[in-house]
Amino acid sequence: MVTNNEFKYSRKKQLKVGLVSLLGGEHLGTDRKNVQNDLEPFGLLYIGGVAKAQGYETRIFHPYQKANPDEESIAKAVTEFKPEILGISSMTNTFNRSVALAQKVKARLPHTKIVFGGDHIGTNPRDVIQGNVIDVGVYGEGEETFRELLENYNGSGKSLEEIKGISFVKNREIIITEKRPRVMDRTQLPKPLRDEEILKTAKVGVLMYPAPSEQTGAASLLFQFGCPFGCKYCSATTLYGSKLTRSSVECVVEEMKDLKEQFGINTAFFTDLTFNLNYKLSEELCANLERAQLGVNWTAMVRPTSPNNQPILKDSTIEAMVAGGCSKVAFGIESFEESAMQAYHRPTSLDEDYRTLRKIDEAGALSKVFLILGHPDETLEYYNEVISVLKTLMPDEVRISFLTPFPGTPLWNDLEEKRNEVLLTTNYDDYTTFKPIMKMNHISPDQLIKQRQRILHEYYNSNEYTSHVRKKVARTPKFKKSFDEFNEELKRRELI
Ligand code: B12
């Protein structure tokens, strides 16, 4: 049991901060048949920005760095660096491996303090107890919390009990301190600490303009942080509450400009969960990006309808996005199975989805839709409907996840005492959205995996899709290479 987790070091010692984020299960190995994007561990980079701004020697360790291809080499590199503080960012599917890595480091550096943050501990602060190695868990957004922890390290700050937004173990008891209010104006925060090697390895996939082979690095960016819509399967509500915080138009344009000039990137990924939430602001950002003519193409996630299914995505926003360099617009259809839409608190309008896709085609961008399969009530008939709906909607790219009630989400919390009854597994490693997690009434896990493959295979091989792509490339010839590379990847994934 981690006992002395107070961080008392001699006054103003030049502390060293190590930061680690491991890759998800689907990103490991050569297969990578479910990988969509390779992006920076963005949350961790913001934490790095805080540590650097506090004047600490800060180093990031990540598998996109040639020197750190796997967890053993990362543990070795961290040990050689001898940080006083090791910050680890983890999702649920990387949590167990992150704990194992922390144990390896702690065994060699018993005085190094281990601080976990990110989507998993961020929504499950009680898991600070796991593995008996985590000194502090940071839940919710982490910048201000980590700054106060660093001050605590230097003996100049608050005691752990006084620091909001953390969990730790004291006298065999899990202490969870008060929730930390969000930082409404993120222009006050230090910029993310970028790592050139990670940035240049990062790519937006699978279908993108510029095509993956022509991308010179993909930067993650954030304008509006959080989402008030409260879909029950999403971690955002638990992580960030319903408030939306933001940076500024000037800061985002400046950041993209700096990344272009400093690292020569030509691609970006907005991690905003719903880019069109405040459409006037989003359009203002796009107008400024258009004026700046930075030659960076980017993708963003939008939402066509509100939680009560009213249209919220304006044509003017899509036009402004494309004029500002957006070359791929992504949005969730998720499910149109009645009980699933209710259970997820996430309705969809296929008419509005159709209108949105045609608008994206007309504006000259690529489109990607997200679907979730695996709600217990789904049937084979529903999957046949999914195929015919896709042939009608004709998105350029489809990502199908399996319903995954991530620990700490409303969906997980609602399952409460009947979890063992309705879940196939509670092994965190399986929570990648590419493994069936929920037991279903009419479909076995193997059948579900086959149905997912069948839906993608039948859609991408359909005449509707082939002629849609032909017309799209005829209308926007610059997309030819993007679709050619996409085709190659679909073949490699045995989807065509
Ligand atoms: C961008 C993104 C990605 C990117 C990059 C992910 C990365 N960080 O490495 C890509 C496309 C690669 C990706 C892949 C996957 N993703 Co993803 N992704 C997102 C998305 C859309 C935005 C995340 C983001 O950048 N937010 C902005 C940053 C600034 O916020 P943040 O990450 O929360 O960081 C803050 C705090 O968490 C905290 N913090 C974070 N790390 C640390 C570390 C320390 C030490 C401290 C103190 C604090 C701290 O402070 C940060 C600043 O305030 C989220 C959606 C969401 N709801 O957030 C899903 C999301 C994180 N992804 C999810 C999943 C499941 C995956 C995949 C497993 C899916 C798959 N199989 O492909 C993979 C796994 C990849 C991996 N590396 O593990 C889930 C995770 C749920 C969970 N509990 O695990 C989310 C929440 C979506 C959802 N379904 O709800 N993803």
Side-chain angles (χ1 to χ4, degrees):
M1 180 76 63
V2 175
T3 52
N4 169 21
N5 39 35
E6 284 289 351
F7 318 152
K8 294 283 175 267
Y9 279 94
S10 59
R11 197 154 288 292
K12 249 349 201 180
K13 178 172 180 298
Q14 171 45 319
L15 294 181
K16 286 198 278 187
V17 176
L19 297 171
V20 168
S21 175
L22 301 179
L23 288 180
E26 307 294 338
H27 285 69
L28 302 177
T30 51
D31 177 288
R32 295 171 45 91
K33 283 190 175 161
N34 290 319
V35 170
Q36 313 284 311
N37 304 288
D38 286 291
L39 294 175
E40 300 167 290
F42 200 31
L44 189 74
L45 303 187
Y46 273 103
I47 302 303
V50 169
K52 189 154 173 268
Q54 296 282 340
Y56 299 140
E57 183 186 350
T58 306
R59 196 177 299 172
I60 296 169
F61 302 85
H62 188 272
Y64 290 167
Q65 299 159 328
K66 289 192 187 49
N68 299 315
D70 54 40
E71 278 131 50
E72 192 41 49
S73 55
I74 289 178
K76 195 160 161 290
V78 170
T79 308
E80 281 154 14
F81 178 60
K82 292 190 177 44
E84 278 82 19
I85 305 156
L86 179 63
I88 300 183
S89 186
S90 106
M91 295 183 188
T92 301
N93 84 95
T94 57
F95 185 73
N96 294 338
R97 282 186 284 124
S98 302
V99 168
L101 184 124
Q103 288 167 331
K104 276 197 196 115
V105 171
K106 198 80 160 178
R108 301 164 191 174
L109 303 172
H111 300 300
T112 294
K113 298 297 176 186
I114 308 283
V115 178
F116 266 54
D119 294 282
H120 185 72
I121 206 93
T123 48
N124 303 276
R126 299 191 69 78
D127 273 359
V128 70
I129 206 163
Q130 300 292 339
N132 184 24
V133 68
I134 307 171
D135 291 286
V136 168
V138 169
Y139 71 95
E141 62 184 28
E143 293 91 343
E144 281 299 288
T145 310
F146 198 66
R147 184 180 60 73
E148 289 186 4
L149 281 172
L150 293 174
E151 283 171 358
N152 172 294
Y153 272 129
N154 253 319
S156 59
K158 300 172 181 165
S159 71
L160 288 186
E161 280 81 358
E162 296 164 318
I163 296 177
K164 292 183 177 149
I166 64 171
S167 59
F168 58 96
V169 178
K170 193 161 189 180
N171 309 330
R172 297 178 175 285
E173 214 197 314
I174 299 176
I175 312 283
I176 300 180
T177 64
E178 193 187 324
K179 200 173 178 57
R180 175 177 296 278
R182 310 262 328 267
V183 177
M184 299 311 290
D185 173 8
R186 294 181 61 82
T187 62
Q188 305 311 313
L189 294 170
K191 285 219 169 63
L193 177 64
R194 305 280 180 175
D195 175 287
E196 181 156 12
E197 222 183 338
I198 298 174
L199 196 52
K200 295 213 163 147
T201 309
K203 279 188 191 307
V204 173
V206 184
L207 171 68
M208 182 57 179
Y209 179 83
S213 68
E214 294 176 334
Q215 292 177 27
T216 57
S220 294
L221 290 166
L222 180 63
F223 178 42
Q224 302 186 86
F225 192 21
C227 180
F229 286 161
C231 305
K232 294 222 171 176
Y233 49 76
C234 182
S235 307
T237 318
T238 315
L239 266 174
Y240 320 121
S242 57
K243 275 212 188 73
L244 190 67
T245 69
R246 73 174 64 89
S247 175
S248 69
V249 167
E250 297 69 30
C251 274
V252 173
V253 175
E254 192 62 33
E255 197 173 357
M256 195 189 271
K257 189 163 171 286
D258 291 352
L259 289 162
K260 171 81 184 184
E261 285 163 3
Q262 205 180 336
F263 302 109
I265 60 134
N266 64 358
T267 310
F269 181 105
F270 274 94
T271 61
D272 299 36
L273 294 167
T274 309
F275 189 84
N276 61 310
L277 259 173
N278 282 295
Y279 76 93
K280 285 204 178 83
L281 263 178
S282 311
E283 291 181 8
E284 188 195 332
L285 169 64
C286 295
N288 281 269
L289 286 171
E290 182 184 4
R291 264 193 296 280
Q293 286 302 312
L294 297 172
V296 175
N297 288 105
W298 45 277
T299 182
M301 298 170 280
V302 297
R303 172 96 183 242
T305 58
S306 64
N308 51 24
N309 225 6
Q310 297 311 305
I312 57 170
L313 179 56
K314 302 193 177 314
D315 288 356
S316 58
T317 305
I318 295 176
E319 289 153 8
M321 289 170 73
V322 175
C326 178
S327 59
K328 182 162 93 170
V329 179
F331 66 91
I333 294 174
E334 312 303 4
S335 178
F336 51 90
E337 204 282 332
E338 208 41 60
S339 59
M341 289 194 282
Q342 272 157 28
Y344 304 160
H345 187 236
R346 173 58 166 90
T348 197
S349 151
L350 295 179
D351 295 345
E352 200 51 29
D353 298 337
Y354 181 85
R355 202 190 65 74
T356 301
L357 287 163
R358 297 297 77 78
K359 181 63 199 172
I360 294 170
D361 293 344
E362 181 207 311
L366 298 167
S367 63
K368 176 177 183 175
V369 299
F370 301 97
L371 285 169
I372 299 176
L373 300 186
H375 184 273
D377 297 347
E378 288 166 7
T379 60
L380 289 181
E381 289 65 43
Y382 174 66
Y383 300 143
N384 294 338
E385 257 187 272
V386 170
I387 294 170
S388 59
V389 162
L390 285 174
K391 289 179 181 176
T392 308
L393 294 180
M394 289 183 290
D396 301 329
E397 183 182 8
V398 182
R399 183 208 197 284
I400 302 182
S401 315
F402 293 131
L403 178 63
T404 303
F406 288 107
T409 58
L411 193 65
W412 169 273
N413 298 339
D414 292 353
L415 295 176
E416 202 84 51
E417 61 288 343
K418 53 181 173 34
R419 243 172 247 141
N420 294 331
E421 233 176 279
V422 299
L423 296 180
L424 293 162
T425 167
T426 53
N427 174 352
Y428 289 167
D429 298 358
D430 297 332
Y431 283 59
T432 66
T433 73
F434 288 103
K435 291 198 177 72
I437 303 289
M438 298 280 288
K439 289 178 187 159
M440 301 174 71
N441 304 332
H442 317 291
I443 309 277
S444 74
D446 290 351
Q447 265 183 315
L448 183 63
I449 291 168
K450 290 199 177 71
Q451 289 301 317
R452 175 183 177 276
Q453 194 75 1
R454 177 176 77 96
I455 292 168
L456 291 170
H457 195 274
E458 287 200 21
Y459 175 58
Y460 286 133
N461 287 285
S462 67
N463 299 336
E464 290 86 347
Y465 183 71
T466 316
S467 67
H468 163 72
V469 170
R470 199 178 314 110
K471 284 191 211 120
K472 186 129 187 182
V473 172
R475 171 186 275 186
T476 321
K478 72 177 184 183
F479 290 156
K480 181 167 183 339
K481 190 159 179 47
S482 302
F483 278 108
D484 290 349
E485 290 192 15
F486 186 50
N487 245 22
E488 286 313 306
E489 191 52 22
L490 289 178
K491 275 196 199 115
R492 190 186 74 79
R493 297 179 185 210
E494 297 158 61
L495 290 173
I496 58 175

